[in-house]
Amino acid sequence: MASVSRLERQVAGALVRAGYSGSDTVLVVAVSGGSDSLALLHCLHRLSNSHRLHLHVVHLNHDFRGEEAFADARFVAAAAQELGWPATVEERDVAALQRERRISSFEQAARELRYSFLAEVAAKVGAAAVTTGHTADDQAETVLMHILRGAGLHGLRGMPELSLWPWPGDGLGLRLFRPLLQATKTETVAYCRALGLDYRDDTGNYLHRFTRNRVRHDLLPLLESEYNPGVRESLARLARTAALETDYLEKEVARLWPEVADQEAGAVVFGQPALSSLHPALRRLLLRRGYEHLMGDTRRLGEGHLAAMDKLAGDMAAGRS
C-alpha cells in the first residue's frame, strides 16, 4: 500500500498549501471516470475527515462518444453514491456551442463548455475551488504543446497547482486546484489498483484528430526514446522556472502599471514615452495586462499579437491607435 500512502501524502500537502485543510472547505471534484480523476476522488474522500472537506462530484458528458459516454456518466454517478457524496452529472452539446461561438477547434469548445459547467455547479454548491486530476504527465504535454505554438513565459509555466479561475465571467472568486500535479499517471493507476478500483478508459483519448493525443501518444514517446528519457521531468522543471520568473515580472508590471496606464471607460490608455522607455519584456507584459483588462482573459492573445502591439506602441505616429 506504499503507492496509496504516497499519493495521499501528496494530495494532503497540496491541501495544506492551498489553505483547504481543516476549514470545512467545499470542493467540486471533476471526475471523468479515468484513473487520474478516480484516484483524486478517493484520495480526497479518504482525507475528508482529517482535513474537514466536503466534496461534490461533477461529471460532464460531452455528447460525442455515444453509449460509451453515457456509461462513463453512470459509472461516475455510482462512484459518488458509493462514497456518499452528492453528484451533478449532465450532458451538454459541444458541437452546438462550437457553431454558436464560431470556435474552430472542437477541443477548445469542449474545454470552454466544461469549465463553464464546472463554475456553474461550484456557484450552486458554494465551493471554494474546482479540483481536477491533472498530473505531471498532463503538465509535460501542456508545456510541450505551448512550445510548439510558440508561447511566451506565460505559456511555458504550464498549469499551477492553485490559480484564479481561468475563464473570467464564469467563476468570480472561484479557484482551480490541481493537487496531483506532482504525481504521474503511473502513480494514479497504481493507486487505483492497490485499492481495487475499476476505472474507465476514454477512447476519445486515442483519437488522432486531437492535438493533445498526438503529443501524448506520438511526440512525447519519441522524445523519450530518441532524445531524452527524462523529457517529462525536464518539461516540468521548465514550467517551474518559467512560473518563478513570470511571478517576478508580474510584480514589476503591477508596480509600473499606475505610472504608464490610465483606465478609462472601455479603454486603457498608455503613456507612450513612459512605455517606450521600458525593457521590451515589461512593455509586452503591460500591453498584455491592458488587453486582459478589456477582454477579461488572454486566451486568444498570442506572442505575435503582443509583438505587433509593441511595435505599434514604439512607433506611434499621430492618428494611429
Side-chain angles (χ1 to χ4, degrees), residues 83-263:
L83 295 176
W85 297 111
T88 301
V89 178
E90 291 188 16
E91 174 190 354
R92 300 282 172 93
D93 188 344
V94 177
L97 178 78
Q98 191 178 6
R99 290 191 298 270
E100 177 188 328
R101 298 189 184 175
R102 298 181 180 179
I103 302 171
S104 58
S105 164
F106 182 89
E107 289 175 280
Q108 178 66 23
R111 191 177 301 113
E112 291 194 17
L113 187 63
R114 181 166 60 252
Y115 279 95
S116 177
F117 174 64
L118 288 167
E120 178 187 315
V121 175
K124 285 181 181 176
V125 302
V130 169
T131 312
T132 65
H134 291 111
T135 66
D137 296 85
D138 297 309
Q139 182 76 295
E141 293 163 10
T142 298
V143 174
L144 186 52
M145 288 171 67
H146 288 174
I147 290 172
L148 294 174
R149 292 169 181 162
L153 269 180
H154 282 82
L156 296 181
R157 65 185 176 175
M159 301 177 288
E161 186 174 83
L162 182 69
S163 64
L164 293 174
W165 192 246
W167 309 91
D170 288 333
L172 186 63
L174 187 62
R175 292 186 178 269
L176 185 56
F177 182 38
R178 303 179 178 97
L180 292 181
L181 273 186
Q182 295 181 20
T184 65
K185 179 170 282 294
T186 300
E187 289 177 303
T188 65
V189 168
Y191 181 90
C192 289
R193 288 176 177 166
L195 292 181
L197 303 174
D198 291 327
Y199 54 87
R200 303 285 295 174
D201 191 11
D202 182 350
T203 58
N205 290 332
Y206 300 94
L207 296 176
H208 260 55
R209 67 187 174 106
F210 296 141
T211 304
R212 182 176 287 273
N213 290 347
R214 296 196 300 275
V215 168
R216 175 179 298 163
H217 299 296
D218 298 338
L219 183 53
L220 266 173
L222 177 66
L223 292 173
E224 284 178 316
S225 63
E226 299 292 334
Y227 297 94
N228 178 9
V231 66
R232 294 173 195 266
E233 174 52 34
S234 296
L235 290 166
R237 189 163 57 247
L238 172 61
R240 290 192 293 270
T241 301
L244 190 65
E245 294 179 1
T246 302
D247 182 64
Y248 169 75
L249 288 170
E250 290 289 2
K251 286 182 170 61
E252 283 298 290
V253 166
R255 182 181 64 82
L256 291 166
W257 181 259
E259 301 175 16
V260 300
D262 287 319
Q263 296 174 205

Side-chain angles (χ1 to χ4, degrees), residues 69-88:
F70 288 98
D72 288 349
R74 291 192 295 269
F75 175 84
V76 172
Q81 184 177 30
E82 183 180 349
L83 295 176
W85 297 111
T88 301

